[in-house]
Structures are given as C-alpha cells and as structure tokens.
Amino acid sequence: NAGVTQTPKFQVLKTGQSMTLQCAQDMNHEYMSWYRQDPGMGLRLIHYSVGAGITDQGEVPNGYNVSRSTTEDFPLRLLSAAPSQTSVYFCASSFDFTGESPHEQFFGPGTRLTVL
Amino acid sequence: AQSVTQLGSHVSVSEGALVLLRCNYSSSVPPYLFWYVQYPNQGLQLLLKYTSAATLVKGINGFEAEFKKSETSFHLTKPSAHMSDAAEYFCAVSWYNQGGKLIFGQGTELSVKP
C-alpha cells in the first residue's frame, strides 16, 4: 500500500491564483481530512469528510473548498490564494470513528505552499 | 471549549537522560488522547493513544504516557533519550462521536545533545 499520498510536494503561487492540492489514499478509509501546520500553532483542521459525498468544515475553512467524489481522493482547492495561506498542508485518513475507540489517523508527507 | 496545551515549545535533553513532554487538556467530556511525532520534512506518525482502557499507555520507540484525570494531563515520557528521538511532538485530543476530528497542541520540539 502507498498509504496517503499528496501532490505536489512544493508549490509557489502568486496572490490571487487558484490551485488544487491533491490527496489520495489506498486503505479504503472512510474518514479524510486536511490540516494546515504553522509554526507555534500545531495543526489546525481545515475541512474533513466522513465518506464520499459528505464534507464538513473544520476550524479554519475560509478560503478553501473541498469535495469528495470517491473514497480514495480528497482534493483541497484554494480559490484565490493569499499570503496568509502560506503553510504546510497535511492530508490524513482513517477508518471512521466507531465510538468505542478512535482509529489511528495516517498522515501524508505534506505540501509546502508559499504564496507571494 | 475543548483545547490542548503543550508546555514548552522547545525541550533539550542529553542523550541517555529522561524525556518529559507535557500535555494538558481542557474538556467537558471524557477525551481520547494521542501523541504524534514528526521527523523533519515528514508527516506525522502515531506514537501512542489513550482510549480509556488503561491509564498508562505504552507506545513505539520506548515512549509511554499516563492519563491523569485529576490533573487533566497526558505527559509523554521516555526513560533514556536517544539521538534519533530528536523531532517535534504533538499532543492531540478527540472525543466520542466527533468523527475522528483531532484538536492538536502547539507542538514541542525535542533536541537531544550528545
């Protein structure tokens, strides 16, 4: 299994440009999520999905869109990039929480985004 | 509101010394607690998790953590630090029926001196 894969690894954008960060997993996980990591702030949840066709907002959703058309893929779209979106973005996946015990989340290697 | 606080953004220890990384949580309901490790330029890897089965949890690479409800703490320890332990460590919390959402602490960078 490849696990969770993310592309690209690095990206530089100009203010106002749009782009899509790709995330895919081959573990048949229902739950997928996007986080951004900023120095001194840990990881903050942007959007998440509990299955194909179902998405919801996390802690910092503004400026980002997601969709989940398949179990495997969960792309993150930046609509109009701003310097404040300069960050490292991580995608994660897990089996859905079944109530008795939360499942381990598996993280991708990250995408480092710079917005000029 | 539920939250996680990690005390100390940087911790430095000598090789062979005790590692202690602190994590406190705030929650009105019983939490599930996690420690993740991030090596440079990599994603996060689960070290251990507390899910109410036992208060002392053993993880990978010799790490363990103890859940103390009275202190709302879940500190991470390792008896003897190794150079390969140098990394950033994150404490995270989740709750029943939260669909897997995690709230992360700010992270603690561990340095190990020879």
Side-chain angles (χ1 to χ4, degrees):
Chain A
N1 287 349
V4 180
T5 57
Q6 292 184 237
T7 56
K9 291 191 186 314
F10 302 94
Q11 183 70 49
V12 179
L13 293 177
K14 294 181 180 178
T15 297
Q17 287 184 314
S18 63
M19 78 160 295
T20 299
L21 307 184
Q22 301 292 343
C23 173
Q25 53 87 13
D26 60 0
M27 297 173 281
N28 203 30
H29 286 165
E30 302 96 338
Y31 184 84
M32 297 185 74
S33 55
W34 277 101
Y35 295 88
R36 60 177 288 173
Q37 182 180 21
D38 301 292
M41 303 187 75
L43 280 77
R44 292 179 291 168
L45 182 64
I46 304 172
H47 286 285
Y48 66 98
S49 168
V50 298
I54 306 170
T55 64
D56 205 348
Q57 295 181 351
E59 184 184 358
V60 288
N62 292 340
Y64 307 95
N65 266 1
V66 292
S67 60
R68 183 105 177 261
S69 55
T70 67
T71 300
E72 294 78 19
D73 301 296
F74 191 43
L76 178 72
R77 297 183 189 84
L78 279 69
L79 308 172
S80 177
S84 61
Q85 294 179 303
T86 293
S87 187
V88 182
Y89 292 84
F90 288 99
C91 180
S93 74
S94 72
F95 289 111
D96 198 10
F97 194 107
T98 56
E100 287 298 319
S101 175
H103 295 284
E104 174 184 356
Q105 289 204 32
F106 292 84
F107 285 79
T111 294
R112 188 174 296 273
L113 175 68
T114 301
V115 182
L116 303 175
Chain B
Q2 288 90 347
S3 65
V4 177
T5 301
Q6 291 182 240
L7 297 177
S9 57
H10 291 92
V11 170
S12 182
V13 301
S14 298
E15 192 172 19
L18 172 71
V19 174
L20 171 60
L21 304 182
R22 299 177 187 273
C23 173
N24 288 87
Y25 68 91
S26 172
S27 175
S28 56
V29 297
Y32 298 112
L33 294 156
F34 306 80
W35 277 99
Y36 281 85
V37 61
Q38 183 182 31
Y39 297 104
N41 300 312
Q42 294 187 26
L44 277 71
Q45 178 184 3
L46 182 69
L47 272 179
L48 49 80
K49 65 179 180 183
Y50 166 75
T51 59
S52 75
T55 57
L56 183 62
V57 182
K58 294 188 184 299
I60 62 172
N61 301 339
F63 284 94
E64 63 181 36
E66 186 173 8
F67 173 70
K68 292 187 176 180
K69 184 178 178 180
S70 61
E71 299 178 6
T72 62
S73 69
F74 190 57
H75 301 331
L76 182 71
T77 60
K78 182 174 181 178
S80 177
H82 192 272
M83 297 296 290
S84 62
D85 295 326
E88 187 153 22
Y89 293 80
F90 292 93
C91 183
V93 62
S94 184
W95 295 269
Y96 175 77
N97 212 25
Q98 288 295 304
K101 285 191 290 185
L102 290 174
I103 304 296
F104 282 87
Q106 304 93 320
T108 298
E109 185 174 353
L110 175 66
S111 301
V112 182
K113 299 175 291 186

mmCIF file of all heavy atoms in Angstrom, chain B residues 5 12 34 45 48 52 55 62 66 73 81-82 85 98 105 107 113:
data_model
loop_
_atom_site.group_PDB
_atom_site.id
_atom_site.type_symbol
_atom_site.label_atom_id
_atom_site.label_comp_id
_atom_site.label_asym_id
_atom_site.label_seq_id
_atom_site.Cartn_x
_atom_site.Cartn_y
_atom_site.Cartn_z
ATOM 1 N N THR B 5 -3.004 22.019 25.503
ATOM 2 C CA THR B 5 -1.862 22.897 25.719
ATOM 3 C C THR B 5 -0.625 22.069 25.969
ATOM 4 O O THR B 5 -0.621 21.195 26.832
ATOM 5 C CB THR B 5 -2.103 23.825 26.922
ATOM 6 O OG1 THR B 5 -3.279 24.610 26.684
ATOM 7 C CG2 THR B 5 -0.914 24.758 27.109
ATOM 8 N N SER B 12 15.223 20.496 25.545
ATOM 9 C CA SER B 12 16.537 19.958 25.200
ATOM 10 C C SER B 12 17.000 19.023 26.309
ATOM 11 O O SER B 12 16.945 19.400 27.486
ATOM 12 C CB SER B 12 17.550 21.089 25.009
ATOM 13 O OG SER B 12 18.814 20.564 24.635
ATOM 14 N N PHE B 34 -3.856 11.504 22.234
ATOM 15 C CA PHE B 34 -2.863 10.957 21.324
ATOM 16 C C PHE B 34 -1.556 11.722 21.445
ATOM 17 O O PHE B 34 -1.544 12.911 21.766
ATOM 18 C CB PHE B 34 -3.329 11.095 19.866
ATOM 19 C CG PHE B 34 -4.682 10.520 19.582
ATOM 20 C CD1 PHE B 34 -5.830 11.221 19.910
ATOM 21 C CD2 PHE B 34 -4.811 9.292 18.965
ATOM 22 C CE1 PHE B 34 -7.101 10.700 19.643
ATOM 23 C CE2 PHE B 34 -6.064 8.760 18.686
ATOM 24 C CZ PHE B 34 -7.200 9.472 19.030
ATOM 25 N N GLN B 45 3.384 10.725 12.681
ATOM 26 C CA GLN B 45 3.298 9.291 12.945
ATOM 27 C C GLN B 45 2.779 9.098 14.364
ATOM 28 O O GLN B 45 3.242 9.768 15.291
ATOM 29 C CB GLN B 45 4.679 8.657 12.791
ATOM 30 C CG GLN B 45 4.755 7.171 13.088
ATOM 31 C CD GLN B 45 6.165 6.636 13.006
ATOM 32 O OE1 GLN B 45 7.113 7.385 12.777
ATOM 33 N NE2 GLN B 45 6.320 5.346 13.196
ATOM 34 N N LEU B 48 1.381 6.884 20.385
ATOM 35 C CA LEU B 48 0.526 6.136 21.295
ATOM 36 C C LEU B 48 -0.815 6.849 21.414
ATOM 37 O O LEU B 48 -0.946 8.011 21.029
ATOM 38 C CB LEU B 48 1.177 5.978 22.671
ATOM 39 C CG LEU B 48 1.753 7.213 23.349
ATOM 40 C CD1 LEU B 48 0.676 8.042 24.020
ATOM 41 C CD2 LEU B 48 2.819 6.819 24.364
ATOM 42 N N SER B 52 -9.204 5.050 27.214
ATOM 43 C CA SER B 52 -9.886 4.722 28.469
ATOM 44 C C SER B 52 -9.712 3.277 28.914
ATOM 45 O O SER B 52 -10.253 2.890 29.932
ATOM 46 C CB SER B 52 -11.386 5.059 28.394
ATOM 47 O OG SER B 52 -12.068 4.109 27.614
ATOM 48 N N THR B 55 -4.786 3.618 32.052
ATOM 49 C CA THR B 55 -4.288 4.985 32.193
ATOM 50 C C THR B 55 -2.820 5.118 31.796
ATOM 51 O O THR B 55 -2.395 6.194 31.398
ATOM 52 C CB THR B 55 -4.464 5.479 33.629
ATOM 53 O OG1 THR B 55 -3.792 4.573 34.509
ATOM 54 C CG2 THR B 55 -5.929 5.556 34.004
ATOM 55 N N GLY B 62 9.854 3.084 22.785
ATOM 56 C CA GLY B 62 10.106 3.208 24.217
ATOM 57 C C GLY B 62 9.370 4.328 24.925
ATOM 58 O O GLY B 62 9.602 4.575 26.110
ATOM 59 N N GLU B 66 0.962 8.728 30.650
ATOM 60 C CA GLU B 66 -0.002 8.398 31.692
ATOM 61 C C GLU B 66 -1.132 9.409 31.700
ATOM 62 O O GLU B 66 -0.890 10.622 31.767
ATOM 63 C CB GLU B 66 0.659 8.361 33.065
ATOM 64 C CG GLU B 66 -0.291 7.875 34.160
ATOM 65 C CD GLU B 66 0.399 7.662 35.493
ATOM 66 O OE1 GLU B 66 1.578 8.034 35.616
ATOM 67 O OE2 GLU B 66 -0.250 7.120 36.405
ATOM 68 N N SER B 73 -4.042 15.799 32.542
ATOM 69 C CA SER B 73 -2.747 15.743 31.873
ATOM 70 C C SER B 73 -2.534 14.418 31.162
ATOM 71 O O SER B 73 -3.158 13.402 31.489
ATOM 72 C CB SER B 73 -1.621 15.976 32.875
ATOM 73 O OG SER B 73 -1.508 14.877 33.759
ATOM 74 N N ALA B 81 16.847 9.105 26.596
ATOM 75 C CA ALA B 81 16.756 9.713 25.270
ATOM 76 C C ALA B 81 17.842 9.182 24.345
ATOM 77 O O ALA B 81 18.991 8.944 24.752
ATOM 78 C CB ALA B 81 16.873 11.231 25.377
ATOM 79 N N HIS B 82 17.457 9.072 23.079
ATOM 80 C CA HIS B 82 18.398 8.675 22.035
ATOM 81 C C HIS B 82 18.448 9.776 20.998
ATOM 82 O O HIS B 82 17.480 10.527 20.822
ATOM 83 C CB HIS B 82 17.910 7.356 21.395
ATOM 84 C CG HIS B 82 18.918 6.712 20.513
ATOM 85 N ND1 HIS B 82 19.050 7.006 19.180
ATOM 86 C CD2 HIS B 82 19.864 5.777 20.787
ATOM 87 C CE1 HIS B 82 20.024 6.298 18.661
ATOM 88 N NE2 HIS B 82 20.541 5.550 19.612
ATOM 89 N N ASP B 85 15.601 10.401 18.718
ATOM 90 C CA ASP B 85 14.333 10.927 19.230
ATOM 91 C C ASP B 85 14.129 12.402 18.900
ATOM 92 O O ASP B 85 13.043 12.944 19.128
ATOM 93 C CB ASP B 85 14.254 10.745 20.754
ATOM 94 C CG ASP B 85 14.215 9.290 21.161
ATOM 95 O OD1 ASP B 85 13.636 8.477 20.413
ATOM 96 O OD2 ASP B 85 14.780 8.972 22.228
ATOM 97 N N GLN B 98 -17.095 12.356 17.477
ATOM 98 C CA GLN B 98 -16.563 13.511 16.769
ATOM 99 C C GLN B 98 -16.057 13.155 15.384
ATOM 100 O O GLN B 98 -15.401 13.963 14.737
ATOM 101 C CB GLN B 98 -15.418 14.146 17.581
ATOM 102 C CG GLN B 98 -15.895 14.866 18.815
ATOM 103 C CD GLN B 98 -16.759 16.059 18.453
ATOM 104 O OE1 GLN B 98 -16.368 16.940 17.719
ATOM 105 N NE2 GLN B 98 -17.979 16.076 18.986
ATOM 106 N N GLY B 105 -2.240 20.214 20.009
ATOM 107 C CA GLY B 105 -1.488 21.204 20.744
ATOM 108 C C GLY B 105 -0.494 21.894 19.814
ATOM 109 O O GLY B 105 -0.389 21.571 18.631
ATOM 110 N N GLY B 107 2.706 21.862 19.777
ATOM 111 C CA GLY B 107 3.908 21.118 19.429
ATOM 112 C C GLY B 107 5.078 21.455 20.348
ATOM 113 O O GLY B 107 5.202 22.585 20.840
ATOM 114 N N LYS B 113 21.118 16.256 22.945
ATOM 115 C CA LYS B 113 22.537 16.598 22.870
ATOM 116 C C LYS B 113 23.389 15.363 23.135
ATOM 117 O O LYS B 113 23.064 14.567 24.009
ATOM 118 C CB LYS B 113 22.853 17.681 23.905
ATOM 119 C CG LYS B 113 22.091 18.979 23.704
ATOM 120 C CD LYS B 113 22.370 19.961 24.837
ATOM 121 C CE LYS B 113 21.751 19.487 26.151
ATOM 122 N NZ LYS B 113 21.882 20.489 27.237
#
